[in-house]
């Protein structure tokens, strides 16, 4: 929320207006200020370093305590499916690249429990402590030693599979077999043995398949040969018995009929073409134009020449009409010439149509002749049709038997020829070599990622601690998050001494070291309050949200600073219950503020002089025990009116706002109220509540000041404040 402050005329304005008036330097941005981020990091540097050190220590412990493991990889190439080496090169099919499904199948074969068990037997891993330690096989009744040993091999193989990774190399036909072991040599041996056992399994399966295929072909070959010979013998006897002589696989009648069918098809096609052209020509004549757009007419050279003459005559006629008019003798002569040309064109078109009709008649005659010959041939063919049906049945049986026999015979010959020369399905592309460095843990990667994570974790810890820290720290916290005017910061005196110990109280230090950083901060606070606007406030009240926030020390020190500057100043201790200011300055002398407020004595009698300065003190020794409300607005107003007439400045030390109602009553009567907040201790919520209460009581809050600031921390109140540049002004201070 925005909190009230005063303008130059003494009228209240809200903090948003004040902020708009003060934004004379700097530019607003949606991005965070890098300098502000650096300040946050510097304030939390020990948290950052602790988290970074913890993460790096964890990474170092991981790399040192984790057992070193070595990885070796062997590469298997899945060969393309090549053409039959027995066939001629020009007829052999081209090589086919292995499909993804085939390669995935081979990966499953390599990573199968059977292949792992074969590797275990070959390398005797049942005796290797790395893989066999802890493997137990429960013994069952009736189980033989061989079965128990096979079960142990299987269990060790399952453990081995966890140490082996089989994957495809990208989209290639290469399969990588990566084995991991505590021994570099063992890792290479396992990877190589995996590929060797896989290839051995392929060869064994191929030989078994070829042997089984050869046995089946040989057993069927004899029977098929007999069937083919018997079917061919039956066919020849049937042909002789029925007189079905043939030439080139068909009877003479069939050949003649086939030839006539082909000729009839050609004749019908030619007739249909001529009839189509004639019909098209007749439609064009019927539709008008005299057949001038008939395709034959368009392709005629004679008509083309006549068309050229017609166009030339029409052009000449148009020129004559344009030049001489309609009645000129030359026009009539040219019109006659044009009409004669058009008659010749029409005669040529009629001749073309007549020619088309003649072609149709000739085609029809040829087709009729062929149809008559076809009828004779069919009559001749019908005589042996019954016998031909039986012949075809026997022929199909003979052909089928012969085809099956030849296929089996060719396969038998091919199997015998391919024995020992078939192309491999896979081969070892690159055997595994013994690694020279461990693959796990990857120390370089661990250190790199650990360093990055350490920095990120440190920054996260800083962000979390910054988020959880609700205390007011910087000028931006006051102006942006609290919405109040920032009046400055009063440092912790020890933080200004460069490592020296403080031997006196802050209120005494401001007197003994008037040119110190601490004293200068109080003068800056005085200037921030008194040099604003045309009317200088005379009654200045200092309060805080909670106890132990440096309120009394700041009030006493500010009053002494005003007195040292030569201004007549009085300090009024209105914290009736704690009366800390009176305890600091009165040195056991009785404070009579309660008597003044109660009307028992006058102000002149109650005032006491500070022993170190010309400061006047109106203090109190103890709170009244009868519960009287001495600080009601009417009594406070009368007292402050009298003090305003006697002194240039009246500094009031009040009680904390949140717990004591007296503070609001006193603050409502002051010309300017300063709310003090302890640096990094007072929460924003507490300060916000205190400001709400003060504004509700119509107090003239001029802003918020920070107390007990440790200026040894770089720019502890923000780079916008004085202490962001404190080192540049060291020569101006005498601490």
């Amino acid at each position: 929320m925005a909190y009230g402050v005063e303008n130059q005329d003494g009228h209240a304005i809200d903090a948003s207006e004040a902020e708009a008036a003060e934004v004379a330097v700097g530019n607003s941005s949606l991005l965070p200020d890098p300098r502000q981020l650096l300040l946050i990091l510097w304030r939390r540097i020990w948290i950052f370093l602790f988290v970074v050190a913890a993460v790096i220590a964890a990474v170092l412990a991981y790399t040192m305590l984790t057992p070193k493991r070595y990885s070796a990889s062997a590469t298997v190439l899945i060969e393309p499916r090549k053409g039959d080496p027995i066939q001629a090169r020009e007829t052999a099919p081209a090589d086919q690249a292995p499909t993804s499904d085939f390669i995935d199948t081979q990966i499953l074969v390599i990573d199968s429990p059977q292949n792992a068990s074969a590797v275990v037997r070959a390398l005797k891993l049942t005796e290797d402590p790395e893989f066999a330690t802890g493997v137990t096989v429960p013994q069952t009744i009736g189980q033989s030693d061989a079965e128990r040993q096979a079960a142990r091999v299987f269990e060790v193989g399952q453990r081995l599979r966890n140490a082996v990774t089989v994957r495809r190399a990208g989209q290639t036909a290469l399969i990588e077999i990566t084995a991991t072991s505590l021994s570099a040599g063992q890792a290479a041996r396992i990877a190589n043995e995996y590929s060797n056992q896989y290839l051995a399994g392929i060869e064994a399966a191929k030989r078994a398949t070829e042997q089984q295929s050869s046995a089946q072909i040989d057993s069927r070959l004899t029977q098929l040969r007999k069937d083919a010979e018997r079917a061919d013998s039956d066919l020849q006897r049937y042909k002789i018995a029925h007189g079905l002589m043939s030439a080139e696989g068909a009877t003479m009648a069939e050949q003649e009929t086939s030839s006539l069918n082909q000729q009839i098809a050609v004749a019908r096609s030619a007739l249909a073409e001529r009839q189509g052209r004639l019909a098209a020509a007749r439609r064009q004549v019927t539709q008008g134009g005299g057949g001038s757009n008939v395709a034959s007419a368009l392709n005629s050279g004679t008509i083309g020449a006549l068309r050229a003459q017609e166009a030339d005559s029409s052009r000449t006629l148009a020129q004559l009409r344009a030049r001489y008019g309609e009645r000129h003798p030359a026009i009539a002569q040219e019109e006659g010439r044009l009409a004669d040309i058009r008659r010749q064109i029409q005669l040529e078109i009629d001749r073309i149509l007549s020619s088309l009709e003649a072609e149709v008649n000739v085609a029809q005659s040829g087709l009729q002749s062929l149809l008559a010959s076809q009828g004779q041939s069919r009559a001749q063919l019908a005589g042996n049709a019954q016998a031909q049906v039986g012949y075809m049945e026997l022929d199909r049986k003979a052909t089928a038997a012969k085809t099956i026999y030849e296929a089996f015979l060719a396969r038998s010959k091919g199997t015998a020829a391919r024995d020992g020369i078939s192309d491999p399905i896979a081969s070892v592309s690159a055997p595994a070599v013994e690694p020279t460095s461990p693959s796990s843990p990857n120390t370089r990667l661990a250190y790199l990622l650990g360093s990055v994570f350490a920095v990120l974790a440190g920054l996260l810890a800083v962000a979390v601690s910054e988020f959880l820290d609700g205390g007011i720290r910087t000028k931006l916290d006051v102006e942006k998050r609290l919405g109040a005017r920032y009046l400055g910061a009063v440092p912790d005196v020890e933080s200004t001494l460069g490592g020296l110990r403080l031997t006196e109280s802050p209120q005494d230090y401001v007197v003994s070291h008037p040119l110190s950083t601490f004293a200068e901060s109080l003068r800056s606070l005085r200037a921030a309050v008194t040099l604003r606007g045309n009317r200088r406030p005379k009654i200045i009240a200092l309060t805080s949200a909670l106890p132990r926030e440096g309120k009394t020390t700041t009030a006493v020190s500010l009053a002494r600073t005003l007195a040292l500057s030569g201004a007549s100043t009085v300090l009024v201790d209105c914290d009736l219950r704690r009366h800390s200011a009176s305890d600091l300055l009165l040195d056991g002398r009785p404070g009579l503020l309660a008597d003044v407020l109660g009307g028992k004595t006058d102000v002149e009698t109650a005032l006491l002089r500070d022993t170190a300065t010309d400061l006047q003190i109106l203090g109190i020794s103890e709170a009244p025990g009868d519960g009287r409300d001495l600080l009601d607005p009417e009594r406070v107003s009368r007292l402050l009116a009298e003090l305003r007439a006697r002194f240039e400045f009246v500094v009031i030390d009040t009680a904390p706002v949140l717990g004591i109602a007296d503070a609001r009553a006193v603050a409502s009567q002051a010309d300017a109220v300063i709310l003090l907040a302890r640096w990094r201790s007072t929460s924003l919520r507490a300060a916000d509540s205190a400001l709400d209460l003060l504004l509700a009581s119509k107090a003239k809050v001029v802003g918020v000041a920070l107390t007990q600031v440790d200026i040894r921390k770089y720019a502890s109140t923000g780079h916008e404040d004085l202490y962001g540049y404190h080192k540049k002004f060291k020569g101006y201070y005498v601490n």
Side-chain angles (χ1 to χ4, degrees):
M1 64 178 292
Y3 293 104
V5 293
E6 290 185 352
N7 60 13
Q8 294 181 352
D9 298 329
H11 297 90
I13 61 173
D14 60 28
S16 61
E17 295 176 356
E19 180 181 350
E22 292 179 357
V23 67
V25 294
N27 296 320
S28 61
S29 175
L30 296 177
L31 297 177
D33 191 341
R35 294 175 297 178
Q36 188 68 21
L37 297 179
L38 289 176
L39 294 181
I40 294 174
L41 177 61
W42 186 257
R43 287 198 300 268
R44 310 288 181 178
I45 190 64
W46 291 112
I47 296 178
F48 175 79
L49 294 178
F50 175 78
V51 173
V52 169
V55 173
I56 292 178
V59 172
L60 292 175
Y62 166 77
T63 56
M64 295 176 63
L65 299 178
T66 302
K68 293 181 173 57
R69 305 185 70 86
Y70 297 84
S71 297
S73 297
T75 305
V76 174
L77 172 64
I78 304 300
E79 300 286 354
R81 298 180 181 179
K82 299 183 178 180
D84 194 339
I86 305 303
Q87 298 182 19
R89 176 55 58 183
E90 59 273 7
T91 61
D95 296 350
Q96 296 181 0
T99 62
S100 295
D101 292 340
F102 181 76
I103 295 177
D104 292 340
T105 302
Q106 300 310 306
I107 291 176
L108 294 178
V109 172
I110 296 174
D111 197 28
S112 64
Q114 292 78 10
N115 198 44
S117 298
V119 174
V120 170
R121 294 189 184 94
L123 297 180
K124 299 180 180 181
L125 296 182
T126 54
E127 303 173 3
D128 191 323
E130 181 181 354
F131 298 99
T133 300
V135 175
T136 58
V137 178
Q139 186 173 1
T140 59
I141 299 175
Q143 187 180 34
S144 63
D145 293 339
E147 292 174 344
R148 189 160 47 252
Q149 180 63 20
R152 180 176 176 81
V153 169
F154 179 80
E155 293 298 330
V156 175
Q158 290 298 102
R159 183 172 293 185
L160 175 63
R161 291 180 64 194
N162 296 329
V164 176
T165 302
V166 183
R167 67 179 185 88
R168 183 179 182 182
Q171 297 298 319
T172 65
L174 295 174
I175 298 178
E176 292 182 352
I177 305 172
T178 303
T180 304
S181 175
L182 297 176
S183 170
Q186 184 75 304
R189 286 192 294 271
I190 292 174
N192 287 327
E193 193 60 33
Y194 248 86
S195 60
N196 294 336
Q197 291 298 327
Y198 164 66
L199 297 179
I202 291 177
E203 291 299 325
K206 187 188 301 183
R207 285 195 300 270
T209 301
E210 290 176 353
Q211 291 175 0
Q212 183 180 5
S213 177
S214 298
Q216 292 177 350
I217 291 174
D218 292 341
S219 65
R220 287 282 295 165
L221 188 59
T222 302
Q223 182 63 36
L224 292 175
R225 184 178 65 251
K226 292 179 180 180
D227 293 342
E229 291 174 352
R230 184 169 52 253
D232 187 65
S233 178
D234 292 342
L235 177 63
Q236 296 302 325
R237 285 196 299 269
Y238 186 86
K239 289 174 63 178
I240 294 173
H242 293 81
L244 297 177
M245 304 303 294
S246 62
E248 299 180 358
T251 63
M252 301 299 293
E254 290 174 345
Q255 292 181 354
E256 182 179 358
T257 301
S258 176
S259 176
L260 287 173
N261 289 337
Q262 294 177 0
Q263 294 178 18
I264 289 172
V266 174
R268 283 177 174 170
S269 176
L271 175 60
E273 179 184 357
R274 288 171 173 77
Q275 287 177 341
R277 286 191 294 174
L278 178 59
R282 286 176 177 174
R283 283 195 302 271
Q284 293 169 354
V285 171
T286 303
Q287 294 173 358
S292 59
N293 54 351
V294 176
S296 300
L298 296 176
N299 296 330
S300 173
T302 302
I303 290 180
L306 291 174
R307 290 292 187 192
Q309 295 179 14
E310 180 186 15
D312 182 65
S313 177
S314 298
R315 185 169 52 254
T316 303
L317 180 61
Q319 294 175 354
L320 291 175
R321 285 175 177 172
R323 182 179 297 177
Y324 301 111
E326 292 291 338
R327 298 182 178 182
H328 196 274
I331 293 176
Q333 181 181 359
E334 191 61 34
E335 287 178 347
R337 178 171 174 269
L338 179 60
D340 183 60
I341 292 173
R342 289 174 176 172
R343 282 194 300 273
Q344 293 180 20
I345 291 173
Q346 188 60 43
L347 290 175
E348 182 64 20
I349 292 173
D350 293 341
R351 186 190 64 76
I352 292 173
L353 293 175
S354 177
S355 175
L356 292 175
E357 291 176 355
E359 290 178 357
V360 170
N361 293 332
V362 171
Q364 287 178 344
S365 298
L367 178 60
Q368 293 298 327
S369 176
L370 291 173
L371 290 174
S373 298
Q374 184 187 41
Q376 295 175 1
S377 176
R378 286 179 176 177
Q380 182 181 358
L381 185 61
N384 58 0
Q386 188 67 30
Q388 188 69 21
V389 173
Y391 168 79
M392 292 175 64
E393 180 67 22
L394 292 174
D395 183 62
R396 282 195 297 271
K397 290 181 179 180
T399 301
K402 183 180 179 181
T403 301
I404 295 174
Y405 170 71
E406 290 177 349
F408 271 82
L409 182 61
R411 185 166 184 179
S412 176
K413 293 179 179 178
T415 301
R418 296 184 189 93
D419 189 15
I421 64 170
S422 59
D423 294 323
I425 295 178
S427 61
V428 176
S429 174
V433 296
E434 186 173 331
T436 58
S437 60
S439 60
S440 174
N442 190 336
T443 54
R444 291 185 179 180
L445 181 61
Y447 292 155
L448 176 61
L449 295 180
S451 301
V452 174
F453 182 75
V455 174
L456 294 178
L459 295 177
L460 179 62
V462 170
V464 171
S465 60
E466 189 74 11
F467 175 77
L468 296 178
D469 187 0
I472 302 175
R473 299 180 302 273
T474 65
K475 177 183 178 183
L476 287 178
D477 289 341
V478 174
E479 294 181 344
K480 301 296 183 182
R481 301 174 65 182
L482 198 58
R485 178 179 289 123
Y486 179 71
L487 299 179
V490 179
D492 179 63
V493 179
E494 286 191 2
S495 68
T496 67
L497 300 181
L500 299 177
R501 293 184 61 183
L502 181 64
T503 59
E504 55 186 333
S505 63
Q507 61 270 15
D508 294 333
Y509 183 82
V510 74
V511 177
S512 61
H513 297 78
L515 299 181
S516 64
T517 303
F518 180 71
E520 185 63 31
S521 68
L522 294 170
R523 284 191 287 270
S524 297
L525 180 61
R526 179 194 64 185
V529 176
T530 60
L531 298 182
R532 300 185 67 88
N534 296 327
R535 292 190 307 171
R536 188 177 68 177
K538 300 186 67 175
I539 302 176
I540 303 172
L542 285 83
T543 187
S544 63
L546 301 170
R548 304 187 64 81
E549 295 193 354
K551 170 182 59 62
T552 298
T553 300
T554 305
V556 173
S557 300
L558 177 62
R560 281 186 166 182
T561 301
L562 290 170
L564 289 173
S565 67
S568 59
T569 307
V570 59
L571 173 64
V572 183
D573 186 1
C574 290
D575 188 354
L576 302 183
R577 304 185 189 186
R578 296 286 297 273
H579 43 78
S580 300
S582 300
D583 295 343
L584 291 176
L585 298 177
L586 295 184
D587 298 327
R589 292 175 291 175
L592 303 178
L593 176 61
D595 294 339
V596 173
L597 293 174
K600 296 179 180 181
T601 185
D602 58 5
V603 173
E604 183 67 27
T605 304
L607 287 175
L608 298 175
R609 183 177 178 277
D610 180 21
T611 58
T613 63
D614 292 332
L615 175 67
Q616 298 294 316
I617 306 166
L618 185 57
I620 185 170
S621 300
E622 61 181 46
D626 54 5
R628 289 178 299 161
D629 185 10
L630 297 178
L631 294 178
D632 65 89
E634 184 177 352
R635 294 178 179 179
V636 173
S637 178
R638 288 198 302 269
L639 173 63
L640 294 181
E642 185 175 353
L643 294 176
R644 184 193 298 272
R646 294 172 59 93
F647 296 96
E648 294 182 58
F649 291 103
V650 178
V651 179
I652 304 176
D653 180 25
T654 70
V657 176
L658 294 184
I660 308 299
D662 294 347
R664 283 173 276 168
V666 175
S668 63
Q669 303 300 317
D671 296 338
V673 177
I674 302 173
L675 179 64
L676 299 177
R678 185 172 179 177
W679 179 69
R680 295 186 63 182
S681 177
T682 304
S683 66
L684 285 167
R685 183 175 299 178
D688 185 74
S689 300
L691 284 171
D692 284 338
L693 293 175
L694 289 172
L695 293 178
S697 62
K698 298 182 180 181
K700 298 177 182 178
V701 180
V702 295
V704 176
L706 301 180
T707 62
Q708 302 184 46
V709 176
D710 187 353
I711 67 173
R712 291 171 295 189
K713 296 187 176 181
Y714 171 70
S716 53
T717 56
H719 60 81
E720 306 92 347
D721 199 10
L722 164 68
Y723 301 118
Y725 312 94
H726 173 69
K727 294 182 179 180
K728 299 181 181 296
F729 293 92
K730 280 188 175 182
Y732 287 83
Y733 305 130
V734 180
N735 295 316

